[in-house]
């Protein structure tokens, strides 16, 4: 049954009938002069914008009524989906005044992957003006094309453009390299100097690669204040969506943490074909991939549930429905309340299980104390070479790869000195700047183990251009954990890759080493013996 969508309150029976009659018309050649006159005249008489959702055969699938300034977005229940396909639907709408296509139209076109979006100018007296016709264009640098013409005088068959563009998308798709987890476009909105913002984008790229994503591009917007609704400004958001379409990206990875409200509005704008995650979600996902021990999995799930809890209310309108039925008469619980209760119950169970694992860890720590074995804890920025150093010192086979957060679960091994003295050496989880607070809370018990160490071995990457920043990030976390009073030894790893390793070591008061060259580790062993007094 045909019905009207949008702002239909206050419509007279006559106007309602005229709008419903639009369903019985077929719109050919985009729109003929006679059809344009009837549509613009009706819109003028109503004083409201009118929109038609069209199929490729010109059938009217939806009639949408707006206000004088705004037309609600159509609900495309019959839209086609696919990386190389357009929706198969188009939007023809009226516009009072100039009728020029704006940033909102570009976002709408890209979000819904419309065949085309056309604005019909309504002049004085309800006379039809020009059509501003916009369509997706995979060959265009902007990601879309634009034509202006009068009704009935289209320069070409505009509906054939949709078929041509789908063919072009299919050919381009064959040449696109897709990572195991998809193609990601990196986005950052920063008020920092450009060089610092680009450095953070580079680290975000390494995180995305570590998560298994294929990075297809990046966008940096420098502005003093984030947009409270969508983080990006309207113009930059249009640019991001167009670039995502051009690069066949299926995910946006955002450097800044999104507030629940920003996540909600971005979900409305990007649609279902383009996912997005922020930096915290990306790190949580990497940790979830790497966690192997029961404790690690519990900690990661707890962090994810804590991240999810304040964002439950930003999902969709379905969360506002009430539950009832037999035994539940009255208002009952909303879907949102049920979800929140379930998350809190899950958090309680996780905390209980982690407490049990913590007691087991306390027992192991007690046994180490009874054996009077000194403990050396390795800390450092992620990918500084901590696991490689542990393997070199103890002849172990702990996983060590050149990527961020290659290993997550702490590993403890025995280290034997030449004089038959033994110590326990532990490789902890790698640190990173702005470590998500959810992870800090989840890993609090594990990180507290650092306070029981006799020596903290701080490993830094001498080859990194951000050596100072990485050292400061690790020291900041150590200050938060209140372990700065413990004896700490700073070593600069990867000295074979640094041009001025000796100078850097002297400047920081550190030992230069290379975990891949065993001969460089002898000074480190002697220094550890000296600090332990053995």
């Amino acid at each position: 049954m045909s019905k009207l969508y949008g702002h239909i309150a206050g419509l007279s029976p006559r106007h309602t009938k005229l709008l419903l009659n639009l369903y019985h018309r077929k719109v050919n050649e985009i729109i003929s002069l006679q059809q344009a006159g009837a549509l613009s005249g009706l819109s003028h008489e109503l004083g409201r914008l009118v929109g038609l959702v069209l199929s490729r055969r010109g059938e009217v699938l939806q009639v949408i009524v707006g206000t004088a300034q705004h037309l609600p977005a159509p609900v495309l229940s019959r839209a086609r989906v696919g990386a190389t396909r357009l929706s198969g639907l188009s939007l023809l709408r009226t516009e009072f005044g100039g009728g020029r296509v704006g940033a909102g139209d570009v976002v709408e076109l890209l979000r819904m992957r419309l065949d085309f979006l056309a604005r019909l100018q309504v002049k004085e007296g309800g006379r039809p003006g020009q059509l501003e016709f916009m369509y997706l264009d995979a060959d265009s640098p902007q990601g879309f094309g634009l034509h202006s013409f009068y009704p009935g005088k289209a320069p070409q068959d505009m509906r054939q453009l949709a078929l041509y563009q789908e063919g072009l998308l299919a050919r381009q798709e064959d040449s696109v390299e897709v990572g195991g987890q998809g193609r990601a476009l990196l986005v950052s909105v920063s008020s920092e100097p450009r060089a610092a913002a680009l450095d953070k984008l580079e680290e975000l790229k390494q995180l995305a690669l570590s998560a298994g994503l294929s990075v297809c591009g990046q966008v940096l917007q420098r502005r003093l204040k984030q947009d409270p609704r969508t983080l990006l400004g309207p113009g930059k958001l249009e640019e991001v969506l167009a670039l995502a379409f051009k690069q066949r990206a299926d995910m946006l990875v955002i450097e800044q943490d999104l507030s629940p409200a920003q996540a909600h509005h971005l979900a409305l704008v990007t649609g279902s074909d383009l996912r997005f995650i922020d930096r915290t979600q990306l790190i949580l996902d990497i940790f979830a991939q790497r966690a192997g021990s029961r404790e690690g999995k519990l900690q990661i799930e707890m962090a994810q549930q804590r991240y999810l809890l304040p964002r439950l209310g930003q999902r969709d309108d379905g969360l506002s429905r009430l539950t009832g039925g037999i035994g539940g008469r009255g208002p009952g619980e909303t879907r949102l309340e049920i979800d929140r209760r379930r998350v809190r119950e899950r958090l309680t169970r996780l905390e209980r299980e982690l407490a049990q694992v913590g007691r087991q860890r306390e027992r192991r720590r007690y046994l180490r104390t009874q054996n009077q074995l000194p403990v050396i804890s390795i800390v450092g920025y992620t990918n500084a070479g901590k696991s490689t150093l542990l393997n070199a010192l103890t002849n172990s086979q702990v996983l060590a790869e050149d990527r961020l957060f290659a290993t997550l679960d702490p590993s403890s091994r025995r280290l034997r000195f030449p004089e038959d003295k033994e110590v326990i050496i532990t490789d902890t989880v790698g640190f990173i700047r702005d470590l998500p607070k959810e992870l800090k809370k989840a890993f609090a018990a594990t990180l507290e183990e650092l306070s029981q160490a006799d020596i903290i071995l701080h490993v830094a990457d001498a080859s990194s251009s951000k050596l100072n920043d990485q050292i400061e990030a690790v020291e900041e976390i150590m200050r938060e954990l209140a372990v700065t009073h413990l004896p700490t030894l700073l070593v600069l790893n990867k000295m074979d890759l640094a041009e001025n390793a000796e100078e850097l070591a002297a400047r920081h008061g550190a030992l230069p080493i290379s975990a891949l060259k065993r001969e460089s580790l002898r000074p480190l062993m002697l220094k550890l013996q000296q600090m332990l007094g053995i």
Side-chain angles (χ1 to χ4, degrees):
M1 178 178 178
S2 301
K3 69 174 185 177
L4 304 180
Y5 296 83
H7 299 279
I8 58 176
L11 290 176
S12 67
R14 173 177 170 273
H15 287 148
T16 299
K17 182 177 180 180
L18 290 174
L19 288 167
L20 289 174
N21 285 340
L22 294 174
Y23 279 105
H24 306 301
R25 299 186 179 183
K26 198 168 184 179
V27 181
N28 295 314
E29 299 177 359
I30 305 305
I31 188 169
S32 67
L33 182 59
Q34 181 181 4
Q35 291 170 328
L39 183 60
S40 61
L42 178 57
S43 183
H44 178 266
E45 185 177 338
L46 289 170
R48 306 187 190 188
L49 301 178
V50 177
L52 305 180
V53 177
L54 309 174
S55 71
R56 286 189 177 170
R57 291 182 295 182
E59 302 166 319
V60 178
L61 304 179
Q62 279 184 32
V63 178
I64 308 170
V65 183
T67 64
Q69 294 81 28
H70 174 70
L71 184 75
V75 180
L76 304 184
S77 58
R78 292 176 54 180
R80 304 156 73 235
V81 294
T84 62
R85 307 179 77 182
L86 302 180
S87 67
L89 304 175
S90 306
L91 176 62
L92 170 63
R93 54 169 296 174
T94 59
E95 182 67 26
F96 299 122
R100 302 293 299 179
V101 172
D105 295 301
V106 178
V107 170
E108 201 167 81
L109 177 75
L110 292 164
R111 177 176 67 87
M112 295 185 289
R113 297 176 73 91
L114 297 171
D115 285 3
F116 66 80
L117 187 152
R119 281 177 177 256
L120 173 63
Q121 179 185 3
V122 179
K123 294 184 176 182
E124 293 182 4
R127 294 179 294 106
Q130 277 193 324
L131 274 170
E132 289 285 336
F133 179 91
M134 177 185 291
Y135 60 96
L136 292 173
D137 187 354
D139 279 336
S140 170
Q142 298 88 3
F144 62 90
L146 185 65
H147 290 297
S148 297
F149 53 88
Y150 285 97
K153 297 183 179 180
Q156 55 181 305
D157 188 345
M158 295 301 179
R159 289 198 173 86
Q160 289 298 320
L161 281 177
L163 300 177
Y164 171 78
Q165 289 300 325
E166 286 190 334
L168 186 60
L169 288 172
R171 291 192 296 273
Q172 292 181 353
E173 185 73 13
D174 295 336
S175 62
V176 169
E177 180 181 352
V178 181
Q181 302 295 326
R183 287 173 61 82
L185 178 64
L186 310 183
V187 179
S188 177
V189 180
S190 176
S191 60
E192 296 181 314
R194 184 174 182 82
L198 288 175
D199 286 336
K200 290 187 176 182
L201 262 179
E202 178 59 30
E203 183 176 84
L204 186 67
K205 177 181 178 181
Q206 296 305 317
L207 285 170
L209 294 174
S210 185
L213 292 168
S214 173
V215 177
C216 61
Q218 62 184 40
V219 176
L220 171 63
Q221 182 182 32
R222 296 184 62 233
R223 55 184 292 168
L224 295 178
K225 191 176 181 181
Q226 298 177 0
D227 188 294
R229 289 172 60 86
T230 56
L231 186 78
L232 297 151
K236 185 61 69 171
L237 181 59
E238 171 193 324
E239 178 185 327
V240 167
L241 293 179
L243 185 59
F245 170 73
K246 288 282 295 179
Q247 298 295 334
R248 307 294 178 270
D250 50 26
M251 177 179 291
L252 300 180
V253 179
I254 301 171
E255 160 66 23
Q256 287 69 33
D257 286 342
L258 296 171
S259 68
Q262 288 172 334
H264 172 65
H265 286 110
L266 270 178
L268 296 177
V269 170
T270 56
S272 59
D273 291 334
L274 186 62
R275 298 173 295 155
F276 62 89
I277 58 174
D278 60 21
R279 181 174 178 271
T280 293
Q281 289 175 288
L282 180 61
I283 293 176
L284 288 175
D285 185 79
I286 294 173
F287 273 52
Q289 292 181 40
R290 305 284 190 273
S293 67
R294 177 169 174 260
E295 182 179 15
K297 292 177 180 178
L298 289 173
Q299 289 169 326
I300 292 305
E301 185 178 354
M302 177 178 286
Q304 291 174 326
Q305 294 291 341
R306 280 177 170 157
Y307 182 86
L308 174 64
L309 184 58
R311 291 164 173 80
L312 286 174
Q314 305 297 333
R315 286 184 173 180
D316 56 39
D317 295 337
L319 295 176
S320 64
R321 295 182 213 153
L322 300 180
T323 60
I326 298 175
R329 299 299 178 186
E333 281 186 298
T334 66
R335 173 68 181 277
L336 174 59
E337 289 170 341
I338 292 174
D339 286 348
R340 283 176 174 165
R341 175 166 50 80
R342 287 174 177 171
V343 170
R344 291 192 184 101
E345 289 173 352
R346 181 59 182 162
L347 280 172
T348 301
R349 288 195 295 269
L350 290 172
E351 289 171 354
R352 191 181 303 121
E353 292 181 45
L354 274 174
Q356 180 181 357
V357 173
R359 288 191 290 270
Q360 297 171 356
R361 185 173 55 250
E362 285 285 346
R363 177 63 179 170
R364 292 193 298 269
R365 189 160 59 203
Y366 172 76
L367 292 176
R368 288 201 303 264
T369 305
Q370 290 296 100
N371 293 331
Q372 296 183 339
L373 291 178
V375 176
I376 300 174
S377 289
I378 304 177
V379 302
Y381 209 79
T382 180
N383 204 32
K386 301 182 300 299
S387 299
T388 304
L389 179 59
L390 178 69
N391 289 336
L393 292 174
T394 62
N395 295 319
S396 303
Q397 298 296 323
V398 175
L399 176 66
E401 297 180 0
D402 184 17
R403 60 176 176 172
L404 303 188
F405 297 117
T407 53
L408 171 62
D409 297 312
S411 302
S412 296
R413 299 291 186 272
R414 291 196 177 218
L415 172 61
R416 184 183 296 274
F417 287 99
E419 293 77 10
D420 288 336
K421 298 289 185 177
E422 288 187 342
V423 300
I424 300 295
I425 184 166
T426 302
D427 175 24
T428 60
V429 63
F431 295 159
I432 196 170
R433 64 169 180 82
D434 302 327
L435 190 67
K437 59 183 180 181
E438 289 83 4
L439 280 178
K440 289 181 182 178
K441 293 177 182 177
F443 281 80
T446 301
L447 295 175
E448 281 175 3
E449 291 252 325
L450 293 176
S451 63
Q452 306 299 319
D454 295 278
I455 293 178
I456 292 181
L457 186 59
H458 181 179
V459 180
D461 182 359
S463 66
S464 173
S465 61
K466 294 301 168 186
L467 173 63
N468 294 338
D469 294 338
Q470 292 181 2
I471 291 177
E472 175 57 31
V474 173
E475 291 178 346
E476 175 63 27
I477 295 176
M478 291 172 63
R479 283 192 290 270
E480 293 178 7
L481 298 173
V483 295
T484 53
H485 65 284
L486 297 176
T488 302
L489 176 60
L490 175 63
V491 296
L492 299 186
N493 191 24
K494 307 182 185 181
M495 59 173 292
D496 51 323
L497 301 178
E499 297 180 358
N500 53 347
E502 298 293 340
E503 179 184 340
L504 285 174
R507 185 189 311 163
H508 292 281
L511 281 177
I513 66 168
S514 173
L516 298 178
K517 297 183 178 180
R518 298 186 64 87
E519 62 273 11
S520 72
L521 302 181
R522 180 167 179 76
L524 172 60
M525 297 286 284
L526 293 175
K527 184 64 175 179
L528 290 175
Q529 281 183 280
Q530 177 186 344
M531 295 178 69
L532 291 169
I534 58 177

